[in-house]
Amino acid sequence: MLHSPIDQKPFPAMFTAQPSPCTLSSSTIQHVPTVRRSETITGGGRRIGGFTRQKANNVPGFQSTVQSKHQPIRTVISSEGAKLVEKSQGSNGSLASSSVSGGMEVRAAVTIRRKMKENITDKLEDQWESFMNGIGRGILLQLISEDIDPITRSGKSAESYVRGFPKPSNHPFVVEYAANFRVPNDFGRPGAILITNFLDKEFYLVEIVVHNFSPEPQFFPANTWIHSRKDNPESRIIFKNQAYLPSQTPDGIKDLRREDLLSIRGNGKGERKMHERIYDYAPYNDLGNPDKSDELARPSLGGNEQPYPRRCRTGRRPTKKDPLSESRIEKPHPIYVPRDEAFEEIKQNTFSAGRLKALLHNLIPLISSTLSSSDNPFTCFSEIDKLYNDGVLLKDEDQKDVIKNQFLTNLMNQVFTVGGRLLKYEIPAVIKRDRFAWLRDNEFARQALAGVNPVNIELLKELPILSKLDPAVYGPPESAITRELIEQELFGMSVEKALEDKRLFILDYHDMLLPFIEGMNSLPGRKAYASRTIFFYTPTGILRPIIIELSLPPSSNSPRKKHVFVHGHDATTHWIWKQAKAHVCSNDAGIHQLVNHWLRTHACMEPYIIATHRQLSSMHPIYKLLHPHMRYTLEINALARQGLINGGGIIEACFSPGKYSMEISSAAYKSLWRFDTEALPADLVRRGMAVEDPSMPCGVKLAIEDYPYAADGLLIWSAIKELVASYVDHYYSDPSSITSDVELQAWWNEIKNKGHFDKRDETWWPNLGTKEDLSSILTIMIWVASGQHAAINFGQYPFGGYVPNRPTLMRKLIPGEGDPAYEKFLLNPVHTFLSSLPTQLQATKIMAVQDTLSTHSPDEEYLHQLHNVQSTSIKDPEVLKLFENFSAKLEDIERTINERNRNIALKNRSGAGIPPYELLLPSSGPGVTGRGIPNSISI
């Protein structure tokens, strides 16, 4: 364990005028044997990562007047350019030439970020902390050399308190402190700094820059919270911005590398505390709340019956009613994530604003339904349009009811205009240029290629279409879509010719949903089918839906409940066809959210992130490559477990599967998910949307050239692959260096055997023996975190914000002849259609959530800015050049995508009223833009 290097109290009860030690004589430098964790050192010192530290001598220090200049700092600093570092001039290649008797004077600049929004208490605490640091009683640094004494084989260290009052920087909310060391001439270069926080609370350390080591200052990027010693006596280890493979680690910091990883893993016991940074695994056993209500009990996901990726362990006590379920932390109380995974202040403010907006928009139908004693459906399309055009006005008497609740009153004051009007929804992109686009068949089909869920359409390879479900339970496997029905829709082309020319495609949700349909339809206000949709790719380059099959589970009275719908030119079939399309869209919305969005990106990335922290040192080059792609993911996933995918959460309330939502997600993980086909080219080949072609840039040729998601995605994929291959080649020059990298092998084994425990025995897991293997694995992870997530997330409001286009649930089955509702349908088909959609409350709730999920934060870090993110943690100029080339390539890709969107021959991208496909444009500003690829899954 790493302990604080000092036993004394952080400050005496009575202050004296004597200065605290901040400059050490050469006698303070320790030369002691490096020891193992199990060994004990006695004799007046305390051990830190293999070093023994004696009590510091009282040597007066001096105040540095040299300003520390830094690389860009995350969040509030990220927009500024790097400042030049004042270099100390030296000639001996190790230390600056400004030597003094007994050693060399070394200066450290410590950069700390404060809160942007401070209350009186925060400001008083800042003043107190500044005072404690000023007198040298707040922050202790211990400088660790990369070298060990060649004769004694002992480590070298020097220590100093931060001393002096903070010096303002060029960035708001950022201050700098100084610390001064004296080190001997043979100290070597510093490789790590141990930092102990004697203050009463944590602080955010941006970086430490050590001056007077030539030829240039030594950077120790941190961007981390430093816990208070009263919470944890262990010191934190901050490594220099130098990448080392395990075998290349300098002898002086080898023990620290191991110690740091051990401290991050924890012991798998006890409940995690908010200040900790412990990464461990747990199943999804915290989604239900059986202690609150039997209706909120949910099965644990993770195991043979309901497999699932693992989440980050929190260690809370089990529920009283179900010992296998973990008790919940309900909003607004925070749920544990390792401390550095939590949202930074700008992101937190943005996300909180989004949640606030969601709550307030929910008040629109909530108050209305309270007054009318029911949750009303939309009765006409103009009621939907009012959400964008007029907003909603509350009458004075309505506001009186709300004003009784002071909390709601405060919220209301933030969104009402002077006239008492609630904020309006922005007009979603799908209807912004053409209010009636959603009604057209070609737009319905176009969104399968260029919408928010373009990853489920497949090539239809053979007929008849057969189910893989057990026929003893689910009836005959043959689809009701026959060869004859298809041929009637092909304008004279034979089915054989259409199959041969790859003109038939399918959106098949039959097997995924049918096992759950009976349960879903037993829920109040839910009616769903398992669906199949056939598309025909016409010779003119247009994709047309031609047949929809909607199925219900068989019963004793009706063993075959499969209904087929085709185009019709009379009024009745016209409206029935629209209802059938709405049911398909509802299924598509559910599978998109639960499988493609949540499972395949959010949930499956979490084990990669946990394993990376547990097994790869922050000095490891692969950790440095992956680090920007892990930002905020654990936090947003924890918030999702708290309020979105939990029992009774937004997803259950607003999507067709209801309480079966996560069980469907688990079933998809069991039957469909595999790591190797998460690669974009492999996924396209698996779905028949591409064929392997070595002559093409990514080795595949698209079945439909005008497939915007795939065409743009392959550009992004290729750029990531090229960067990763060059990066891996740079660090792994020796052919055997992959297999001999103990951290890397442990990382990959843990991902397979712990993070995806339920899939650990699958034969499709890639080997990790060559540079090509590693490059392939890393490219998949980075693509999933960046391009893949962007393509299926940031279009949620642009496409789903207009409820008729993508209803997240349907409340009625399609009436057939003889049904009591059929006559009502004939008399008023619009009312039948609208009353089948989500209610006003459900619709506005999901619109608000989709608006939040589609919003870019002002502190977003985008893929094309990757080299800027890396610049503080990697100093190798060749590697930084790789990132610069990558950024330039993404800028070229953005220009290419914009040119494609202007090409009138690409009908899925351009045309009257069609929004351009921009979801894979790398750059974006803040807000709901329908474009931009962040580095990580941050919303």
Side-chain angles (χ1 to χ4, degrees):
M1 301 291 285
L2 298 177
H3 298 285
S4 169
I6 203 164
D7 285 322
Q8 66 192 42
K9 299 291 183 182
F11 51 88
M14 298 293 293
F15 295 111
T16 67
Q18 295 181 350
S20 174
C22 64
T23 302
L24 306 183
S25 68
S26 58
S27 63
T28 313
I29 308 298
Q30 301 303 311
H31 297 267
V32 296
T34 300
V35 297
R36 299 184 182 276
R37 289 173 60 86
S38 58
E39 295 177 336
T40 303
I41 295 179
T42 58
R46 287 185 63 83
R47 176 180 170 275
I48 308 176
F51 295 89
T52 297
R53 173 193 163 291
Q54 304 293 336
K55 186 175 180 180
N57 296 327
N58 291 328
V59 182
F62 63 91
Q63 296 300 311
S64 171
T65 59
V66 178
Q67 289 192 3
S68 173
K69 308 296 184 182
H70 311 297
Q71 296 288 342
I73 301 170
R74 188 179 288 175
T75 61
V76 298
I77 308 175
S78 59
S79 62
E80 300 273 346
K83 295 186 287 182
L84 295 176
V85 178
E86 180 174 329
K87 298 182 178 181
S88 302
Q89 300 298 318
S91 58
N92 62 3
S94 176
L95 291 171
S97 59
S98 58
S99 63
V100 295
S101 177
M104 302 290 179
E105 292 176 343
V106 176
R107 303 184 300 276
V110 181
T111 304
I112 292 173
R113 191 185 70 211
R114 288 179 171 169
K115 285 185 178 181
M116 287 174 281
K117 292 184 177 181
E118 292 188 316
N119 55 34
I120 296 299
T121 301
D122 293 327
K123 291 179 179 179
L124 291 174
E125 289 178 346
D126 284 346
Q127 292 176 4
W128 175 250
E129 290 170 7
S130 295
F131 173 73
M132 296 305 297
N133 288 327
I135 64 172
R137 291 290 182 178
I139 301 171
L140 180 66
L141 306 181
Q142 185 173 8
L143 197 63
I144 309 297
S145 173
E146 289 185 338
D147 301 337
I148 60 173
D149 189 285
I151 299 175
T152 64
R153 304 300 296 171
S154 60
K156 304 176 184 180
S157 67
E159 64 187 34
S160 170
Y161 276 95
V162 165
R163 186 173 176 83
F165 291 95
K167 176 175 56 180
S169 73
N170 291 342
H171 306 287
F173 323 114
V174 173
V175 296
E176 294 178 359
Y177 289 95
N180 304 301
F181 303 85
R182 182 172 293 159
V183 300
N185 293 333
D186 65 349
F187 186 80
R189 296 191 184 282
I193 294 175
L194 301 181
I195 183 166
T196 307
N197 175 13
F198 287 100
L199 303 170
D200 288 336
K201 68 173 186 177
E202 65 182 4
F203 63 85
Y204 190 87
L205 177 66
V206 177
E207 68 176 356
I208 301 173
V209 183
V210 180
H211 297 271
N212 289 12
F213 285 90
S214 73
E216 59 187 13
Q218 307 294 298
F219 285 85
F220 294 78
N223 292 311
T224 184
W225 289 96
I226 305 297
H227 60 262
S228 170
R229 187 173 183 264
K230 68 183 181 63
D231 291 325
N232 182 356
E234 294 183 2
S235 300
R236 280 292 307 280
I237 305 171
I238 308 298
F239 292 107
K240 190 170 65 175
N241 64 335
Q242 176 70 50
Y244 290 115
L245 295 175
S247 61
Q248 299 168 342
T249 311
D251 291 340
I253 55 176
K254 280 184 177 178
D255 279 356
L256 291 182
R257 183 170 185 148
R258 289 190 292 266
E259 293 278 357
D260 192 44
L261 284 175
L262 287 172
S263 69
I264 287 171
R265 294 172 195 162
N267 59 11
K269 299 178 181 179
E271 182 173 351
R272 298 271 64 89
K273 298 177 176 61
M274 298 304 294
H275 69 270
E276 294 178 327
R277 50 193 290 269
I278 304 298
Y279 296 79
D280 205 353
Y281 302 95
Y284 277 73
N285 62 347
D286 64 340
L287 301 180
N289 194 348
D291 289 348
K292 184 175 182 180
S293 168
D294 290 341
E295 290 296 316
L296 293 177
R298 296 293 181 269
S300 175
L301 303 184
N304 292 332
E305 292 299 318
Q306 293 185 307
Y308 218 62
R310 295 308 190 257
R311 63 170 175 91
C312 188
R313 180 182 177 275
T314 56
R316 298 190 300 269
R317 60 176 176 77
T319 61
K320 296 176 181 178
K321 291 186 177 180
D322 181 5
L324 298 180
S325 293
E326 188 174 85
S327 57
R328 288 181 52 78
I329 299 292
E330 301 293 354
K331 295 180 294 184
H333 302 292
I335 187 171
Y336 170 81
V337 293
R339 184 64 184 95
D340 291 337
E341 303 298 327
F343 289 162
E344 294 175 17
E345 198 170 352
I346 290 178
K347 176 71 172 183
Q348 183 61 53
N349 292 340
T350 302
F351 190 73
S352 295
R355 288 190 294 174
L356 173 64
K357 186 176 180 182
L359 175 61
L360 289 168
H361 280 306
N362 291 342
L363 289 178
I364 300 170
L366 181 60
I367 294 173
S368 175
S369 62
T370 299
L371 295 176
S372 62
S373 302
S374 66
D375 182 14
N376 295 325
F378 294 106
T379 59
C380 60
F381 286 101
S382 61
E383 288 184 342
I384 302 175
D385 293 340
K386 284 181 179 179
L387 296 175
Y388 320 111
N389 299 335
D390 302 328
V392 176
L393 289 171
L394 288 182
K395 300 176 183 178
D396 291 339
E397 56 267 26
D398 297 345
Q399 294 187 32
K400 290 177 183 177
D401 292 335
V402 176
I403 208 168
K404 294 176 183 177
N405 185 318
Q406 187 62 43
F407 173 69
L408 290 181
T409 302
N410 294 335
L411 296 182
M412 285 292 192
N413 289 336
Q414 298 180 49
V415 295
F416 278 125
T417 65
V418 175
R421 186 188 301 268
L422 281 173
L423 285 179
K424 299 180 295 185
Y425 280 103
E426 292 294 324
I427 298 175
V430 71
I431 61 166
K432 196 166 189 176
R433 302 183 181 196
D434 181 355
R435 285 295 180 102
F436 304 102
W438 67 277
L439 282 167
R440 296 196 305 267
D441 284 349
N442 60 353
E443 177 61 20
F444 170 80
R446 189 188 74 86
Q447 290 182 31
L449 299 173
V452 70
N453 189 41
V455 297
N456 279 111
I457 188 170
E458 300 182 27
L459 179 70
L460 182 61
K461 298 178 181 179
E462 59 184 6
L463 291 170
I465 302 169
L466 299 175
S467 169
K468 296 180 182 179
L469 298 175
D470 185 356
V473 178
Y474 298 104
E478 294 83 10
S479 168
I481 301 174
T482 63
R483 185 180 300 267
E484 293 73 24
L485 286 172
I486 294 176
E487 199 155 271
Q488 291 175 14
E489 303 292 330
L490 300 185
F491 304 104
M493 182 181 290
S494 68
V495 170
E496 288 72 17
K497 179 65 174 173
L499 291 171
E500 180 183 347
D501 291 352
K502 297 182 178 179
R503 293 194 174 275
L504 292 176
F505 297 86
I506 186 170
L507 201 59
D508 192 346
Y509 297 135
H510 179 276
D511 286 8
M512 197 179 299
L513 292 178
L514 191 62
F516 298 93
I517 292 296
E518 185 175 358
M520 289 163 56
N521 287 345
S522 67
L523 300 174
R526 299 287 205 285
K527 294 300 176 186
Y529 302 92
S531 63
R532 291 189 179 105
T533 307
I534 306 297
F535 299 89
F536 175 56
Y537 190 56
T538 69
T540 59
I542 296 296
L543 195 66
R544 293 179 58 247
I546 57 174
I547 300 177
I548 294 174
E549 179 190 64
L550 301 179
S551 301
L552 295 172
S555 64
S556 56
N557 297 331
S558 179
R560 186 178 180 88
K561 290 187 176 180
K562 298 180 180 180
H563 309 279
V564 175
F565 303 88
V566 297
H567 289 277
H569 301 288
D570 62 279
T572 302
T573 55
H574 171 84
W575 273 105
I576 289 178
W577 174 252
K578 283 184 176 10
Q579 290 185 75
K581 287 196 300 180
H583 276 279
V584 173
C585 288
S586 175
N587 287 346
D588 191 71
I591 296 302
H592 161 259
Q593 197 66 260
L594 297 169
V595 179
N596 300 325
H597 181 211
W598 171 256
L599 169 66
R600 292 178 60 189
T601 63
H602 284 259
C604 285
M605 274 300 299
E606 187 151 345
Y608 311 153
I609 295 169
I610 297 171
T612 299
H613 283 283
R614 285 171 54 89
Q615 298 298 340
L616 298 182
S617 166
S618 60
M619 287 189 287
H620 200 292
I622 302 306
Y623 176 94
K624 292 180 180 294
L625 176 67
L626 289 177
H627 187 261
H629 306 290
M630 304 187 294
R631 185 183 185 217
Y632 291 157
T633 303
L634 296 190
E635 170 82 346
I636 196 64
N637 285 4
L639 290 169
R641 298 201 314 274
Q642 193 175 42
L644 287 177
I645 64 171
N646 60 301
I650 297 293
I651 300 299
E652 288 193 1
C654 299
F655 284 78
S656 284
K659 70 177 184 179
Y660 301 100
S661 293
M662 291 304 290
E663 292 182 59
I664 290 176
S665 189
S666 171
Y669 178 71
K670 182 177 185 178
S671 62
L672 298 176
W673 187 86
R674 46 186 289 174
F675 180 85
D676 57 337
T677 56
E678 291 303 287
L680 177 59
D683 175 62
L684 293 171
V685 171
R686 177 187 66 83
R687 292 189 282 122
M689 300 305 292
V691 294
E692 295 182 1
D693 186 344
S695 68
M696 300 299 288
C698 290
V700 296
K701 181 179 180 180
L702 294 178
I704 297 177
E705 182 181 352
D706 186 14
Y707 183 2
Y709 158 76
D712 294 355
L714 287 173
L715 295 177
I716 303 295
W717 170 271
S718 178
I720 295 172
K721 182 180 179 181
E722 181 180 330
L723 168 69
V724 171
S726 300
Y727 186 93
V728 168
D729 192 61
H730 177 81
Y731 284 105
Y732 291 94
S733 55
D734 187 339
S736 64
S737 56
I738 298 291
T739 55
S740 62
D741 187 333
V742 292
E743 287 183 6
L744 189 69
Q745 294 297 326
W747 167 77
W748 185 234
N749 286 332
E750 185 163 292
I751 286 172
K752 295 183 295 183
N753 296 317
K754 287 189 176 181
H756 286 274
F757 179 81
D758 304 323
K759 294 272 189 176
R760 65 193 182 282
D761 295 326
E762 298 288 354
T763 59
W764 41 253
W765 284 106
N767 294 318
L768 182 52
T770 67
K771 291 187 290 185
E772 292 73 22
D773 294 338
L774 178 58
S775 296
S776 176
I777 290 167
L778 294 172
T779 301
I780 290 174
M781 292 179 179
I782 294 173
W783 161 251
V784 169
S786 57
Q788 180 66 22
H789 179 259
I792 59 179
N793 179 73
F794 292 104
Q796 290 194 71
Y797 185 79
F799 286 97
Y802 187 66
V803 176
N805 183 60
R806 283 182 69 78
T808 56
L809 61 82
M810 296 295 285
R811 301 193 303 129
K812 294 181 180 180
L813 298 177
I814 299 175
E817 293 185 36
D819 294 340
Y822 190 72
E823 290 299 322
K824 293 182 180 179
F825 158 67
L826 293 177
L827 291 173
N828 194 340
V830 172
H831 180 270
T832 299
F833 180 82
L834 290 175
S835 63
S836 299
L837 301 180
T839 64
Q840 293 187 32
L841 175 59
Q842 291 167 331
T844 51
K845 184 182 292 186
I846 199 61
M847 288 165 67
V849 171
Q850 289 175 334
D851 180 72
T852 300
L853 296 181
S854 302
T855 298
H856 288 291
S857 171
D859 74 333
E860 199 82 89
E861 295 175 353
Y862 295 96
L863 191 62
H864 71 293
Q865 300 168 331
L866 183 62
H867 68 286
N868 290 332
V869 177
Q870 299 285 4
S871 62
T872 58
S873 62
I874 296 177
K875 69 175 184 179
D876 190 320
E878 292 184 29
V879 174
L880 293 179
K881 184 64 176 177
L882 295 179
F883 290 123
E884 290 172 3
N885 293 339
F886 177 68
S887 178
K889 186 161 189 175
L890 288 178
E891 291 175 3
D892 289 339
I893 289 173
E894 184 151 324
R895 285 189 286 269
T896 299
I897 293 174
N898 286 329
E899 290 172 2
R900 288 174 173 178
N901 285 333
R902 291 190 293 266
N903 186 346
I904 60 175
L906 300 176
K907 296 180 175 63
N908 288 319
R909 295 178 176 272
S910 63
I914 292 178
Y917 186 76
E918 297 182 329
L919 289 171
L920 284 168
L921 281 175
S923 68
S924 175
V928 180
T929 64
R931 58 179 289 169
I933 305 177
N935 280 322
S936 62
I937 300 169
S938 58
I939 189 63

